[in-house]
Amino acid sequence: MKGRILSVITLLLCSSLLLFAQAADESTGEDRTLTLYCYDTFSSEWGSGPTLIPLFEEETGIKVDVVSTGDAVEMLSRAIMEGEDCPADLVMGISDDQASKAYESGLFEPYDSPVLADVDDSLEFDPEHRLIPFDYGVFAFVWDSQSDVPAPKSLDDLMDPIYKDKIILIDPRTSSVGLGLLMWTIEVYGEDGYLDWWRAVGQNALTIADGWSSGYGLFTEGEAPIVISYTTSPVYHVLWEDSTRYQALVFPEGHHKTVESIGMLASSKHKDEAKQFIDFILTEGQAETAIANSMYPVNSETELPDAYQWAPVPDTVFSMDPEYVAANIDRWTEEWTQAMINL
């Protein structure tokens, strides 16, 4: 009888140990799952996410839960609204124009990635490395060369009535691309003149899309022959469609540059895994991300395809001080809203 009781006790102990081991394994699995907030472009079927995430998971054993949050402006706004309760470990796609807003939130923890040694200092806009650059681009209007509309040669040209219903703009309140265009017009026309440009070109716009994906989608569907995008946008079409139909236009007055970054949240419980993901994006993920996002990689060691020869390089490129943007952006967007409502 005692032997039978001991056998039962041993069996129960073994079962308990097995269940404990299984629970530990499951807990370990959960502990190696990252939550990544990103903009729609990264997670879409034509973005780099569907290729890079499985590769990262296979190489590291770390799972990534991708949460698409709309455009970059919406993404950061959501993270800030959630605050310390934000479930994300990483936020990917914050532009330098939004940097001060991100800093003020206090959500992000610095990470001095060793890969930053291969990144040009001019692209590291945050000296504390709370926001780490992973790609950059130059805003430009892209023109459909198969349309019967002549290519504009300057921002001024876009005010011409011949472009009535021929231009797709993007909202600066909801999109980093729209915000980039807003910055561009302020740099060229000054605070006294940028709204005059928007009023005139707004009259010519077919629509003002809420994000780059929807705006560029309308463009490639043939709804209008001109759209605000990047100098690198033609690269995608050369690579995947073997077409030079869509051409980025370089204007003599200069163009606005933007740098996109990824940030690790201070509240993350998976910081070692988050750092591995950042390093992956800055190395193996560079070419794929740059091509999918129609941008340039920040890692100087990245090899790019010949298709990048179709990305023109403007002679004049400028950007704004993030602190200056932060001090004025609310007023600018409110002025923009009032100007566009009254069209």
Side-chain angles (χ1 to χ4, degrees), residues 7-67:
S7 297
V8 171
I9 292 172
T10 301
L11 180 62
L12 288 172
L13 285 172
C14 289
S15 298
S16 297
L17 288 171
L18 179 61
L19 289 172
F20 177 81
Q22 290 175 340
D25 287 343
E26 291 174 2
S27 175
T28 301
E30 290 175 1
D31 286 342
R32 289 177 64 80
T33 298
L34 284 171
T35 299
L36 173 71
Y37 275 13
C38 66
Y39 46 37
D40 290 346
T41 306
F42 179 80
S43 61
S44 66
E45 60 181 351
W46 60 84
S48 58
T51 299
L52 292 179
I53 296 301
L55 179 61
F56 174 77
E57 291 178 335
E58 181 180 354
E59 289 187 2
T60 64
I62 301 168
K63 298 296 181 183
V64 182
D65 180 17
V66 178
V67 180

Side-chain angles (χ1 to χ4, degrees), residues 263-277:
M264 177 177 65
L265 271 70
S267 59
S268 171
K269 296 179 175 59
H270 316 292
K271 290 177 182 175
D272 287 341
E273 291 82 0
K275 292 175 181 178
Q276 288 184 61
F277 186 83

Side-chain angles (χ1 to χ4, degrees), residues 329-340:
I329 191 61
D330 290 340
R331 173 174 60 83
W332 290 336
T333 52
E334 178 59 27
E335 291 174 350
W336 180 92
T337 301
Q338 294 303 316
M340 303 311 282

Side-chain angles (χ1 to χ4, degrees), residues 193-211:
Y194 81 102
L195 289 176
D196 292 335
W197 183 92
W198 277 95
R199 292 187 187 97
V201 179
Q203 294 282 2
N204 285 342
L206 174 71
T207 188
I208 300 178
D210 60 354

Side-chain angles (χ1 to χ4, degrees), residues 214-254:
S214 58
Y216 204 80
L218 290 172
F219 169 70
T220 55
E221 289 166 7
E223 295 297 322
I226 301 171
V227 66
I228 180 61
S229 192
Y230 299 95
T231 58
T232 41
S233 293
V235 172
Y236 173 88
H237 303 287
V238 174
L239 278 174
W240 307 115
E241 300 171 357
D242 193 26
S243 172
T244 58
R245 171 179 177 176
Y246 304 114
Q247 300 178 14
L249 306 175
V250 173
F251 296 159
E253 59 266 42

Side-chain angles (χ1 to χ4, degrees), residues 103 110-112 116 121 124-131 323:
Y103 304 153
Y111 171 47
D112 189 14
L116 287 172
D121 291 344
E124 294 182 46
F125 58 87
D126 179 11
E128 296 183 32
H129 298 153
R130 291 159 294 182
L131 299 179
E323 292 186 3

Side-chain angles (χ1 to χ4, degrees), residues 112-297:
D112 189 14
S113 170
V115 188
L116 287 172
D118 295 322
V119 176
D120 191 284
D121 291 344
S122 66
L123 299 173
E124 294 182 46
F125 58 87
D126 179 11
E128 296 183 32
H129 298 153
R130 291 159 294 182
L131 299 179
I132 299 172
F134 65 86
D135 68 11
Y136 71 99
V138 178
F139 293 109
F141 281 91
V142 177
W143 167 68
D144 181 355
S145 66
Q146 292 185 10
S147 71
D148 58 1
V149 175
K153 300 185 185 306
S154 67
L155 286 174
D156 277 356
D157 281 358
L158 291 167
M159 295 187 278
D160 193 307
I162 66 170
Y163 295 111
K164 178 68 175 176
D165 295 330
K166 306 299 183 185
I167 304 168
I168 296 171
L169 301 176
I170 299 178
D171 195 325
R173 299 169 300 179
T174 56
S175 167
S176 58
V177 178
L179 181 59
L181 178 57
L182 184 69
M183 300 295 101
W184 185 7
T185 57
I186 292 172
E187 286 160 330
V188 171
Y189 296 105
E191 291 197 46
D192 294 333
Y194 81 102
L195 289 176
D196 292 335
W197 183 92
W198 277 95
R199 292 187 187 97
V201 179
Q203 294 282 2
N204 285 342
L206 174 71
T207 188
I208 300 178
D210 60 354
W212 179 87
S213 296
S214 58
Y216 204 80
L218 290 172
F219 169 70
T220 55
E221 289 166 7
E223 295 297 322
I226 301 171
V227 66
I228 180 61
S229 192
Y230 299 95
T231 58
T232 41
S233 293
V235 172
Y236 173 88
H237 303 287
V238 174
L239 278 174
W240 307 115
E241 300 171 357
D242 193 26
S243 172
T244 58
R245 171 179 177 176
Y246 304 114
Q247 300 178 14
L249 306 175
V250 173
F251 296 159
E253 59 266 42
H255 292 249
H256 182 71
K257 181 183 76 174
T258 185
V259 182
E260 294 187 317
S261 67
I262 184 169
M264 177 177 65
L265 271 70
S267 59
S268 171
K269 296 179 175 59
H270 316 292
K271 290 177 182 175
D272 287 341
E273 291 82 0
K275 292 175 181 178
Q276 288 184 61
F277 186 83
I278 291 172
D279 291 346
F280 173 80
I281 290 296
L282 291 180
T283 52
E284 293 179 67
Q286 278 289 277
E288 184 80 25
T289 300
I291 292 168
N293 288 356
S294 294
M295 302 283 265
Y296 286 104

